[in-house]
Amino acid sequence: MAKRTTTFEYAPAPESRAIVDIKPSYGLFVNGEFVDGHGKAFKTVNPATEEVLAEIAEADDHDVDLAVKAARRAYDRVWSKMPGSERAKYLYRIARIIAERSRELAVLESIDNGKPIKESRDVDVPIVSAHFFYYAGWADKLKYAGYGEQPLGVAAQIIPWNFPLLMLAWKIAPALACGNTVVLKPAETTPLTALLFAEICQQADLPPGVVNIVTGAGGTGQAMVAHPDVDKVAFTGSTDVGKAIARTIAGTDKRVTLELGGKAANIVFDDAPIDQAVEGIVNGIFFNQGHVCCAGSRLLVQESVAEDVLHRLKRRMATLRLGDPLDKNTDVGAINSAEQLARIRELSAVGEAEGAERWSAPCELPSHGYWFAPTIFTDVTQAHRIAREEVFGPVLSVLTFRTPAEAVAKANNTPYGLSAGIWTDKGSRILKMANQLRAGVVWANTFNKFDPASPFGGYKESGYGREGGRHGLEAYLR
Ligand code: NDP
């Protein structure tokens, strides 16, 4: 645990690893069974220690083809023919098993991803289970959703490393509820919880081929997107890869949803409750080390309270505990990979070179693993790269404004449009601002709140389509 300046120190409270059983190597999950891949293997590491956790099969084109064929058979013969009320039973069963095995899932997620156990335990895994419960409820009520009742077929689903299990749930739960079958690829750096989810599918007696998990890197994802027998592509990740996917499927009749990056404005007005706003700013950018597509990475603070807000923000940041993700006291865990750490360092250096002032919370970084201290940049202008590009790390850019109109103009001055936050005492101002912000999700006097019943998705380069809620069914029905 790193040293901090606080009035007292917390004793270490590490969660035990004994509950997880990490195998030395993993194959692919195809047609209800774990099978060897035909391609190479790669290693997944614990980003907090750089310890190699396991060898993972890298699915090649042939493996992807086998997985798509298994999904097609399961779709034609079983899943699309099953009444919604029967599909719901499987989804309820999966939801319950996730809840029963929640500690195991949370510990494994924190080991493979680097996120603090209090987040994987209290945020990720409970929402994962809730997501399956929620869509289980829809499975026999699709005709009331207003998007048609027919499934699309086989869905190729590609997810990133920031919320491995949660993104899996956002993709798989609605697809299965609507009667589709899936081939899902977790990110290269975080495959372990998806493979544990495969075991959960076996435990739930899910018919073989309804869910297939293929591990691998970008090439595996490309093979999935290009496969001629895939009916639907669902992707969460970077805008560049999203654009490449859109190009690949152009001219085909494949349906697609893309959930890409963001550069959200978190807007604090002078009448906001400042201490609560500071908590919201911290949650907005330091939750999950800032590896959050909807992170509040641009703080827009009204000029008259800027000094006060920054003073309290720095004081609060100095109390954040950075260190062992499995320690229940940890607030800020490890950066997910060496590549991501290099990107955060590079963009932070650019911020300094462009003239912004850098301040990092005083903390000692562990000697092994990938770490970055919570950091803010002041004197940031809209032209700075740290104000325009997604850093995807614990780095906040601070800008100021004088009038609501200026706040709207600055907030919308981004190629993205995924989320935004508003902090003010006035309900009327919340509604007026929310109407003017070009963002898929607008939080008022809170931030980073997720609920399975609430749709999520973006405008502009943040992608298209919605996940979650009734709206999330549209992507899987015709
Ligand atoms: P990517 O977009 O490369 O990764 C997302 C997923 O797509 C992964 O499963 C990845 O596999 C896969 N993939 C990569 N290339 C292709 C391809 N050509 N066709 C199909 N699938 C592909 O994100 P990165 O991990 O490289 O992160 C880079 C940046 O993207 C981050 O710094 C951040 O700014 C942004 N990002 C945004 C996310 C969001 O939620 N909006 C999530 C993750 C990243 P693999 O991991 O094996 O390479």
Side-chain angles (χ1 to χ4, degrees):
M1 175 65 65
K3 253 200 232 137
R4 294 151 298 104
T5 42
T6 51
T7 44
F8 60 90
E9 288 294 328
Y10 284 75
E15 177 73 50
S16 167
R17 265 180 79 147
I19 194 162
V20 300
D21 170 26
I22 302 178
K23 300 176 182 65
S25 65
Y26 289 84
L28 311 167
F29 184 66
V30 176
N31 205 33
E33 288 173 3
F34 284 93
V35 298
D36 291 337
H38 295 83
K40 294 181 292 216
F42 62 95
K43 293 180 172 62
T44 184
V45 303
N46 178 341
T49 60
E50 298 174 56
E51 166 205 4
V52 173
L53 295 168
E55 276 223 337
I56 310 290
E58 183 173 338
D60 66 8
D61 291 8
H62 180 57
D63 297 315
V64 168
D65 185 50
L66 292 176
V68 172
K69 285 200 168 92
R72 174 62 59 192
R73 270 196 312 275
Y75 177 79
D76 287 341
R77 296 181 191 170
V78 186
W79 201 245
S80 66
K81 297 206 164 64
M82 191 183 279
S85 55
E86 290 301 309
R87 290 199 304 269
K89 290 180 190 170
Y90 287 102
L91 290 172
Y92 279 124
R93 203 180 285 168
I94 290 171
R96 278 198 303 273
I97 298 172
I98 290 169
E100 281 162 18
R101 299 179 69 171
S102 58
R103 199 154 77 86
E104 184 184 355
L105 288 161
V107 170
L108 190 60
E109 193 79 312
S110 282
I111 292 174
D112 204 20
N113 170 280
K115 63 175 69 199
I117 185 75
K118 72 175 174 193
E119 291 180 7
S120 51
R121 181 196 61 195
D122 298 347
V123 183
D124 298 51
V125 177
I127 309 182
V128 169
S129 173
H131 223 81
F132 279 95
F133 274 120
Y134 176 80
Y135 280 107
W138 270 114
D140 61 349
K141 303 174 194 69
L142 298 175
K143 66 178 170 204
Y144 305 110
Y147 299 121
E149 288 177 62
Q150 294 306 313
L152 303 178
V154 175
Q157 306 183 315
I158 299 169
I159 56 172
W161 42 263
N162 52 343
F163 293 94
L165 205 52
L166 187 57
M167 291 303 104
L168 173 150
W170 282 22
K171 297 275 178 288
I172 292 185
L176 263 49
C178 294
N180 304 276
T181 56
V182 308
V183 178
L184 176 133
K185 187 190 94 61
E188 192 179 354
T189 58
T190 54
L192 293 182
T193 46
L195 294 163
L196 183 52
F197 178 81
E199 284 179 28
I200 289 175
C201 292
Q202 288 179 323
Q203 192 183 344
D205 274 333
L206 191 71
V210 172
V211 167
N212 304 275
I213 309 279
V214 292
T215 43
T220 306
Q222 274 173 330
M224 290 165 63
V225 172
H227 196 289
D229 204 26
V230 159
D231 302 290
K232 149 90 192 171
V233 176
F235 171 77
T236 298
S238 63
T239 299
D240 285 347
V241 174
K243 285 179 180 171
I245 288 174
R247 279 193 295 273
T248 306
I249 62 164
T252 73
D253 58 2
K254 286 176 191 166
R255 296 255 301 261
V256 65
T257 39
L258 301 175
E259 202 270 89
L260 311 175
K263 194 72 194 176
N266 203 0
I267 307 168
V268 179
F269 284 96
D270 57 5
D271 64 342
I274 301 294
D275 283 333
Q276 282 94 322
V278 165
E279 286 307 308
I281 296 164
V282 166
N283 172 269
I285 187 63
F286 303 125
F287 169 65
N288 202 34
Q289 295 70 248
H291 300 328
V292 184
C293 47
C294 53
S297 53
R298 282 184 302 151
L299 173 63
L300 297 186
V301 57
Q302 199 153 12
E303 204 176 80
S304 50
V305 290
E307 209 184 306
D308 186 21
V309 169
L310 282 174
H311 172 73
R312 295 198 224 186
L313 177 61
K314 287 179 181 174
R315 198 176 56 192
R316 176 68 179 93
M317 283 169 65
T319 68
L320 290 173
R321 293 176 293 269
L322 176 147
D324 180 6
L326 285 185
D327 191 311
K328 286 169 243 176
N329 295 319
T330 293
D331 299 307
V332 181
I335 300 302
N336 179 251
S337 65
E339 291 74 33
Q340 190 59 27
L341 179 59
R343 182 174 160 80
I344 297 168
R345 283 182 174 154
E346 184 201 323
L347 269 172
S348 299
V350 169
E352 274 182 295
E354 288 185 339
E357 190 173 327
R358 176 177 182 161
W359 182 88
S360 295
C363 61
E364 235 170 59
L365 304 182
S367 52
H368 294 287
Y370 316 126
W371 305 92
F372 198 88
T375 295
I376 57 176
F377 279 97
T378 48
D379 294 333
V380 177
T381 74
Q382 297 184 77
H384 284 156
R385 279 181 65 195
I386 48 167
R388 309 195 62 76
E389 295 178 27
E390 195 175 39
V391 181
F392 224 63
V395 178
L396 177 68
S397 294
V398 183
L399 298 98
T400 58
F401 68 91
R402 289 184 181 162
T403 63
E406 189 186 342
V408 169
K410 285 185 170 167
N412 287 341
N413 183 12
T414 165
Y416 296 111
L418 194 55
S419 67
I422 306 166
W423 297 83
T424 173
D425 201 25
K426 291 189 187 65
S428 56
R429 180 176 277 164
I430 291 170
L431 294 174
K432 186 160 185 213
M433 291 290 295
N435 261 337
Q436 294 175 326
L437 292 171
R438 291 286 291 163
V441 179
V442 179
W443 286 292
N445 294 328
T446 187
F447 209 92
N448 276 340
K449 279 264 180 290
F450 305 100
D451 188 282
S454 177
F456 184 91
Y459 289 106
K460 302 192 281 185
E461 293 209 358
S462 292
Y464 37 82
R466 293 292 177 263
E467 293 184 295
R470 180 183 65 86
H471 302 71
L473 297 165
E474 186 178 12
Y476 293 98
L477 288 172
R478 63 188 150 93

